């Protein structure tokens, strides 16, 4: 029988581990699907790892992976994929905001021959105006960079073993699963889902962490910010030509006056663009520095193996 692995990154989710493991297990057993649950503890500060070990003892199909510290969600997803043994592997949030029932739909589509089943958001749930605006802007940039519509993209998806193996071959240290899982190609289809309300605990995503996450993934997957620097340079060059023509006209017409304000504004504009450009270039250099050091994406301190698979 074909086996489906479900990767569940977890950070400070002690209240949800038992609920999530029980819900998905019952669903898989009711549908007679052989399964494996791979919980990845991403350096949680609460009792998440203890709850994962308890779930593993109760259900032999539950595997637990514990990081030595917090490495971020992308590292947790990568570790889960690397340690999953199923013929297909699904990735979903541990807080059940991704509806587990959609896993069945994804699995049936996989049985029909699809190799990548993308979960797309029919609705985003309750989000503030700033959060929605920020998310829309972020996905617009990523969509333009990848050529793939990611306006409703999510980490909730199912990959065939062939797609997982190709994804794991990617050599870069900074990975963006949401985009790269589409980039690898293969026969793809889409499933809509409605984001559910969190049953327990609090969201780990603040505006600061979302902004950092966005900047990191944009720069690791796209050269758009570098192109923005070039665009700013072209705009300022055109502005400089217009200003030069105006200045020469005033000079030769005998109406030239001391332009202290103009000089100050030009210095401020030039200085701002230069500093912005150096900042963007410096950020890319830091990313290159991280890549060439070839440090591991994550470090596993402990792991619980599944004893058997249904």
């Amino acid at each position: 029988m074909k086996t489906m692995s479900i990767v569940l990154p977890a950070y400070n989710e002690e209240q949800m581990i038992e609920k999530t493991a029980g819900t998905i297990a019952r669903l898989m057993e009711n549908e007679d699907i052989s399964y494996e649950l791979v919980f990845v503890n991403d350096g949680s500060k609460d009792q998440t790892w203890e709850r994962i070990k308890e779930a593993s003892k109760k259900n032999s199909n539950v595997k637990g992976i514990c990081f030595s510290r917090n490495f971020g969600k992308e590292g947790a997803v990568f570790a889960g994929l690397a340690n999953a043994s199923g013929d297909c592997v699904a990735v979903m949030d541990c807080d059940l905001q991704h509806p587990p029932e959609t896993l069945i739909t994804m699995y049936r589509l996989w049985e029909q021959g699809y190799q990548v089943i993308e979960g797309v958001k029919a609705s985003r749930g309750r989000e503030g105006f700033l959060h929605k605006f920020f998310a829309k802007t972020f996905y617009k940039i990523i969509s333009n960079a990848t050529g793939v519509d990611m306006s409703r993209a999510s980490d909730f998806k199912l990959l065939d073993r062939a797609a997982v193996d190709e994804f794991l071959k990617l050599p870069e240290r900074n990975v963006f699963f949401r985009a790269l899982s589409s980039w690898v190609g293969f026969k793809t289809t889409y499933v809509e889902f409605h984001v559910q309300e969190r049953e327990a605990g609090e969201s780990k995503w603040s505006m600061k962490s979302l902004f950092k996450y966005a900047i990191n993934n944009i720069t690791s997957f796209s050269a758009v910010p570098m192109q923005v620097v070039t665009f700013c340079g072209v705009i300022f060059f055109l502005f400089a030509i217009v200003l030069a023509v105006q200045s020469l006209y005033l000079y030769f017409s005998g109406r030239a006056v001391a332009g202290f304000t103009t000089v100050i504004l030009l210095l401020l504009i030039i200085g701002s663009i230069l500093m912005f450009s150096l900042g963007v270039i410096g950020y890319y250099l830091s990313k290159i520095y991280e890549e060439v050091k070839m440090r591991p994406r994550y470090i596993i301190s402990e792991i619980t193996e599944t004893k058997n698979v249904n």
Side-chain angles (χ1 to χ4, degrees):
M1 181 182 292
K2 300 290 186 179
T3 301
M4 175 168 65
S5 295
I6 299 110
V7 174
L8 299 134
Y11 178 69
N12 293 345
E13 294 286 0
E14 61 180 0
Q15 299 180 57
M16 289 300 300
I17 299 299
E18 183 178 359
K19 170 78 172 179
T20 300
T23 299
I24 298 177
R26 285 191 296 273
L27 184 66
M28 295 295 113
E29 290 164 5
N30 290 339
E31 295 291 331
D32 195 28
I33 297 175
S34 179
Y35 70 96
E36 171 192 50
L37 302 183
V38 184
F39 285 95
V40 183
N41 176 40
D42 186 20
S44 299
K45 299 176 182 178
D46 59 6
Q47 299 297 308
T48 296
W49 179 236
E50 284 67 26
R51 299 292 179 269
I52 292 174
K53 289 193 291 185
E54 290 173 5
S56 181
K57 291 177 181 178
K58 293 178 181 178
N59 185 344
S60 59
N61 293 330
V62 174
K63 174 188 289 186
I65 298 169
C66 185
F67 284 174
S68 61
R69 64 169 177 83
N70 179 257
F71 283 90
K73 186 177 182 180
E74 300 299 326
V77 170
F78 204 98
L81 294 174
N83 287 274
S85 58
D87 300 286
C88 62
V89 184
V91 176
M92 67 179 291
D93 288 349
C94 185
D95 54 17
L96 294 183
Q97 288 192 288
H98 294 158
E101 296 77 14
T102 307
L103 288 171
I104 305 303
T105 304
M106 291 178 169
Y107 184 80
R108 300 309 178 197
L109 287 169
W110 174 72
E111 288 183 318
Q112 295 174 25
Y114 291 100
Q115 295 172 287
V116 177
I117 297 91
E118 300 271 0
V120 296
K121 298 175 182 176
S123 65
R124 299 187 62 90
R126 292 191 300 178
E127 292 180 344
F129 173 77
L130 287 178
H131 191 285
K132 287 184 178 180
F133 175 78
F134 182 76
K136 184 178 180 180
T137 303
F138 168 63
Y139 287 120
K140 184 175 182 181
I141 294 173
I142 287 293
S143 296
N144 291 336
T146 61
V148 179
D149 182 14
M150 298 191 65
S151 59
R152 297 189 296 159
S154 72
D155 291 324
F156 189 24
K157 54 191 68 186
L158 183 146
L159 307 178
D160 180 75
R161 171 52 57 183
V164 172
D165 290 342
E166 291 303 319
F167 181 82
L168 294 175
K169 289 178 184 178
L170 297 175
E172 60 256 44
R173 302 294 95 186
N174 293 291
V175 293
F176 183 24
F177 174 69
R178 196 170 300 189
L180 287 174
S181 58
S182 299
W183 179 86
V184 295
F186 294 97
K187 188 177 181 182
T188 303
T189 189
Y190 302 88
V191 175
E192 286 192 339
F193 70 93
H194 294 275
V195 177
Q196 307 298 304
E197 294 299 323
R198 173 182 280 272
E199 294 188 25
E202 298 178 354
S203 174
K204 312 306 181 295
W205 293 101
S206 63
M207 288 301 296
K208 180 180 178 181
S209 60
L210 282 171
F211 181 76
K212 184 178 179 180
Y213 176 78
I215 294 297
N216 182 66
N217 287 322
I218 289 172
T219 53
S220 65
F221 198 80
S222 167
V224 168
M226 296 287 280
Q227 296 166 358
V228 170
V229 172
T230 304
F231 177 76
C232 289
V234 171
I235 294 298
F236 185 78
F237 177 70
L238 295 175
F239 174 70
I241 291 177
V242 173
L243 192 60
V245 171
Q246 181 191 34
S247 299
L248 289 173
Y249 172 77
L250 292 175
Y251 176 78
F252 286 113
S253 64
R255 290 183 290 170
V257 293
F260 179 76
T261 302
T262 303
V263 172
I264 292 298
L265 289 174
L266 284 174
L267 287 174
L268 289 174
I269 293 172
I270 294 173
S272 298
I273 292 178
L274 285 175
M275 294 303 292
F276 174 75
S277 302
L278 287 173
V280 172
I281 294 170
Y283 195 84
Y284 272 93
L285 286 175
S286 71
K287 289 297 178 184
I288 295 172
Y289 178 61
E290 291 177 7
E291 291 289 337
V292 298
K293 286 189 294 186
M294 295 294 290
R295 287 179 179 173
R297 298 181 180 93
Y298 52 85
I299 297 174
I300 296 176
S301 62
E302 191 175 351
I303 189 170
T304 66
E305 295 288 349
T306 52
K307 298 177 184 177
N308 62 349
V309 177
N310 291 336

